Amino acid sequence: MVLEAIRYSRGRLQILDQLRLPHVTVYETIQSSQDAWHAIRSMRVRGAPAIAIVAALTVAVELEGLRLEDRISPHVSDTQKFIFEKLEYLLTSRPTAVNLTDAVTKLKKVVFEAAQRSGARGGDVIDAYILTAEQMLVDDVKDNEAIGRHGADWIMKHTSPDQTDPTVSVLTHCNTGLIEDSHFISSLATAGYGTALGVIRALHGSSSLRRAYCTETRPYNQGSRLTAFELVHDKIPATLITDSMAAALLRLKGVNENLGAIVVGADRVAANGDTANKIGTYQLAVLARQHGVKFLVAAPRTTIDLKTLTGEDIVIEERPGREVAQITGPLYQVGGTVGSEIGTMAIAAQGIEMWNPAFDVTPSDFIDAIITEVGVVEKGPDGLFTFQDIFSSDASRFKYSSER
């Protein structure tokens, strides 16, 4: 079975409703910025890179629709205003994910420059926007594949495989993965190969992975619904655990399973390396330090926000408390089979107050390395992360900091 998380062709965009996975596969057509805003806000599409791609392509679809209906203003100022307003609106859908901010900033720059060209008309601005948004999709695929390779290489160089079985096990949290389609590599949390789960795929592809462990990731269960689904789909040896089992896993199985690394994605990385990611990430970093396991963040450079100095400056989205108090899924039938009827059940005492931050911030002290598409960033001799090299004009020559 072939699945696509994002189906896009010029003028048409569909997303796989991730809230219904893994039991029901439904594609939702995105026709307007309002459609995209609600899909992102409700987490029918999720993952910082995928959010940015869907937002960018949504405006491209709207613009192509205007072109087909011959409703494009000849005045570049009107077209620029239209695009800017749509992008600013979409920016409010998920405030913590920096990839969306980065995409909006880049797209605005492209639009502004196209509008300033001599003789430019509204259609010229639209062409520049659509081509840039489509290129973002292509680049995301390439970048995520590179993240997977760099991360797998780093793990094998910095862990101690069993000499009789030179493979390593990895634990991941939330969902950062992919599903392949016939046109390009599409993904659930990204538009490409995946970040943290891309590292797992790269290890598996080189026969270096013993087992992948994934947490269920409450309260939305992205691990049990999405990551587990992808691991099974790709026939990668994997085991699902509840979030509260992580400490026991490291203590009781860490040595025998050669569990060498915990790899997570990121929604925003501050200039000092502090990282905001799905709630529950911070506690895994603390456990990794206690048990001598490497803790790695896998993220494209678009996730690194040099304007945000530390994690203290990251705005943490808080979601409705009801998400903690209920769970949705297909109902079991008599005999233990999974039926097609979907139900939502209350799992908490009525009247209890609930706190539901969507993310937490892991201090850079607990992070061993940050995997990007151009290489792996380690701390310098002063124990601090610096990202200048990976943003320089010759970033393609960047090497592991331990090798410089």
Side-chain angles (χ1 to χ4, degrees), residues 339-350:
S340 59
E341 182 182 356
I342 304 294
T344 298
M345 299 182 180
I347 58 173
Q350 298 299 297

Side-chain angles (χ1 to χ4, degrees), residues 344-362:
T344 298
M345 299 182 180
I347 58 173
Q350 298 299 297
I352 187 68
E353 293 185 7
M354 285 164 282
W355 178 52
N356 187 19
F359 308 94
D360 57 28
V361 175
T362 300

Side-chain angles (χ1 to χ4, degrees), residues 191-211:
Y193 188 66
T195 52
L197 198 48
V199 174
I200 290 174
R201 281 192 170 87
L203 286 168
H204 178 65
S206 63
S207 300
S208 299
L209 180 72
R210 184 178 302 185
R211 179 162 295 274

Side-chain angles (χ1 to χ4, degrees), residues 235-295:
K235 297 180 173 57
I236 295 175
T239 299
L240 173 68
I241 64 171
T242 67
D243 297 358
S244 57
M245 294 176 184
L249 172 69
L250 295 181
R251 181 172 181 270
L252 300 177
K253 288 181 173 288
V255 174
N256 290 339
E257 290 294 317
N258 194 31
L259 208 161
I262 297 175
V263 186
V264 301
D267 284 82
R268 187 180 297 253
V269 179
N272 71 336
D274 292 350
T275 297
N277 192 48
K278 180 56 57 184
I279 191 71
T281 301
Y282 179 26
Q283 64 194 26
L284 291 177
V286 173
L287 291 174
R289 178 61 54 86
Q290 172 66 24
H291 291 275
V293 172
K294 300 295 184 183
F295 187 86

Side-chain angles (χ1 to χ4, degrees), residues 15 38 59-60 67 87 138 147 191-192 199 202 217 221 248 254 271 301 305 308 338 392:
I15 62 165
H38 289 289
V59 179
R67 191 207 307 272
L87 291 174
V138 174
I147 288 171
V199 174
T217 320
N221 299 310
R301 288 177 295 173
D305 182 8
T308 298
V338 177
S392 65

Side-chain angles (χ1 to χ4, degrees), residues 104-401:
V104 167
T105 300
K106 289 177 179 176
L107 289 165
K108 279 185 170 182
K109 183 174 184 289
V110 167
V111 169
F112 177 79
E113 292 176 349
Q116 297 302 306
R117 296 190 184 104
S118 177
R121 297 173 63 84
D124 300 320
V125 176
I126 288 175
D127 287 340
Y129 179 94
I130 291 177
L131 289 172
T132 302
E134 292 175 345
Q135 188 61 42
M136 285 181 172
L137 178 63
V138 174
D139 290 344
D140 191 79
V141 174
K142 179 179 64 177
D143 291 347
N144 290 328
E145 289 177 337
I147 288 171
R149 291 194 305 273
H150 291 312
D153 289 346
W154 193 96
I155 288 172
M156 296 311 294
K157 289 178 181 178
H158 292 81
T159 58
S160 302
D162 184 336
Q163 296 303 312
T164 61
D165 181 10
T167 57
V168 64
S169 295
V170 174
L171 170 64
T172 191
H173 184 61
C174 199
N175 173 257
T176 58
L178 105 158
I179 295 295
E180 291 186 336
D181 72 30
S182 59
H183 299 97
F184 54 87
I185 303 286
S186 179
S187 83
L188 298 182
T190 70
Y193 188 66
T195 52
L197 198 48
V199 174
I200 290 174
R201 281 192 170 87
L203 286 168
H204 178 65
S206 63
S207 300
S208 299
L209 180 72
R210 184 178 302 185
R211 179 162 295 274
Y213 290 89
C214 61
T215 60
E216 62 176 350
T217 320
R218 288 277 297 140
Y220 256 88
N221 299 310
Q222 294 100 322
S224 59
R225 291 187 302 105
L226 306 179
T227 299
F229 173 68
E230 295 192 47
L231 291 167
V232 170
H233 180 278
D234 285 4
K235 297 180 173 57
I236 295 175
T239 299
L240 173 68
I241 64 171
T242 67
D243 297 358
S244 57
M245 294 176 184
L249 172 69
L250 295 181
R251 181 172 181 270
L252 300 177
K253 288 181 173 288
V255 174
N256 290 339
E257 290 294 317
N258 194 31
L259 208 161
I262 297 175
V263 186
V264 301
D267 284 82
R268 187 180 297 253
V269 179
N272 71 336
D274 292 350
T275 297
N277 192 48
K278 180 56 57 184
I279 191 71
T281 301
Y282 179 26
Q283 64 194 26
L284 291 177
V286 173
L287 291 174
R289 178 61 54 86
Q290 172 66 24
H291 291 275
V293 172
K294 300 295 184 183
F295 187 86
L296 308 174
V297 172
R301 288 177 295 173
T302 53
T303 306
I304 300 172
D305 182 8
L306 298 180
K307 295 180 181 178
T308 298
L309 298 182
T310 74
E312 296 292 328
D313 302 315
I314 298 177
V315 177
I316 299 299
E317 173 189 358
E318 292 196 16
R319 298 187 60 81
R322 66 176 181 274
E323 295 176 354
V324 178
Q326 64 188 33
I327 192 166
T328 300
L331 304 180
Y332 275 105
Q333 297 178 323
V334 176
T337 59
V338 177
S340 59
E341 182 182 356
I342 304 294
T344 298
M345 299 182 180
I347 58 173
Q350 298 299 297
I352 187 68
E353 293 185 7
M354 285 164 282
W355 178 52
N356 187 19
F359 308 94
D360 57 28
V361 175
T362 300
S364 60
D365 290 348
F366 290 90
I367 299 171
D368 291 294
I370 297 175
I371 310 161
T372 76
E373 70 273 24
V374 297
V376 181
V377 182
E378 297 176 0
K379 296 170 186 172
D382 57 359
L384 302 176
F385 283 113
T386 56
F387 299 107
Q388 283 78 5
D389 285 352
I390 64 170
F391 286 103
S392 65
S393 59
D394 61 346
S396 60
R397 297 181 180 181
F398 177 78
K399 301 295 183 182
Y400 304 124
S401 60

